[in-house]
Amino acid sequence: AQSVTQPDIHITVSEGASLELRCNYSYGATPYLFWYVQSPGQGLQLLLKYFSGDTLVQGIKGFEAEFKRSQSSFNLRKPSVHWSDAAEYFCAVGASSGNTPLVFGKGTRLSVIA
Amino acid sequence: DTGVSQDPRHKITKRGQNVTFRCDPISEHNRLYWYRQTLGQGPEFLTYFQNEAQLEKSRLLSDRFSAERPKGSFSTLEIQRTEQGDSAMYLCASRRAGTGGNEQYFGPGTRLTVT
């Protein structure tokens, strides 16, 4: 069965520090992987996606993620965090066919301190 | 704005009442999804449509839930005889099937509180 694990429920970083949010997935076929961000009381905004090709993908707001098939991981990174990055981050996996709904992790809440 | 829209944004209802939510997808998107998100959890799939056909329903979708997309454009999600456990954020997403990838675009959600 498909599943996504985000091991860190809550992470606090200082503004300007680097960030890495972890995501591990279990999927029986070639996965499509996504990171979404959700601000309080809002819907989800797509940050970036991986389908194939280069395993390092760039997204919006200065985020990037690296797909590592051997580790079943798709970790999200940002070199320098801004206070406005404080939000909930969700990793999700879907079928390459696009014929299945997305399976989400439980999310990682990011707090940014001065 | 041409994104996914949902109405209402917030709904407070008493247990046992019926509620209906609406989702308007991005206009050229033929796939429409409903998810439910409870506090501290990621979104969980409920059901999805391709055009007006409902293609899949999660076991989370009990008999009290029904969804429609009569003309292949907007969709409604109805919950009958609401229970306190139905309190959640209900998210709608859309995409255009046949395009590369499976990214879905989400609306702002409808937050339901059942008292």
Side-chain angles (χ1 to χ4, degrees), chain B:
Chain B
D1 182 70
T2 57
V4 178
S5 62
Q6 292 186 246
D7 184 69
R9 294 290 307 276
H10 303 274
K11 178 72 176 179
I12 300 174
T13 191
K14 293 187 177 181
R15 189 176 56 185
Q17 298 295 304
N18 299 343
V19 294
T20 300
F21 309 141
R22 176 178 171 128
C23 171
D24 287 88
I26 294 170
S27 60
E28 66 268 24
H29 286 185
N30 53 3
R31 286 261 175 103
L32 186 149
Y33 302 79
W34 285 99
Y35 292 83
R36 182 173 70 185
Q37 185 180 21
T38 53
L39 202 60
Q41 301 294 316
E44 295 174 293
F45 167 71
L46 292 178
T47 187
Y48 86 91
F49 294 82
Q50 175 151 320
N51 300 315
E52 64 275 11
Q54 190 172 18
L55 296 188
E56 188 175 342
K57 291 192 288 187
S58 160
R59 64 177 183 274
L60 292 177
L61 210 67
S62 76
D63 291 346
R64 298 183 296 105
F65 287 69
S66 62
E68 294 183 341
R69 196 182 181 198
K71 298 182 180 178
S73 56
F74 73 91
S75 175
T76 58
L77 178 69
E78 182 184 16
I79 309 174
Q80 296 182 327
R81 304 181 304 281
T82 52
E83 302 173 356
Q84 288 187 320
D86 297 331
S87 295
M89 174 81 91
Y90 290 84
L91 294 164
C92 176
S94 71
R95 67 175 285 257
R96 186 168 62 181
T99 58
N102 191 9
E103 67 266 38
Q104 296 172 19
Y105 296 89
F106 283 80
T110 295
R111 179 164 295 284
L112 173 66
T113 302
V114 181
T115 61

Side-chain angles (χ1 to χ4, degrees), chain A residues 61-113:
Chain A
K61 304 185 179 186
F63 285 92
E64 66 178 27
E66 186 172 12
F67 172 62
K68 293 185 177 180
R69 185 184 299 276
S70 62
Q71 298 178 19
S72 297
S73 69
F74 187 57
N75 294 348
L76 182 72
R77 300 194 294 248
K78 187 170 184 178
S80 177
V81 168
H82 187 263
W83 64 267
S84 61
D85 294 323
E88 189 94 19
Y89 291 80
F90 293 95
C91 181
V93 65
S96 58
S97 64
N99 290 331
T100 62
L102 297 179
V103 176
F104 286 84
K106 293 187 176 183
T108 297
R109 182 161 63 93
L110 174 66
S111 296
V112 180
I113 58 176

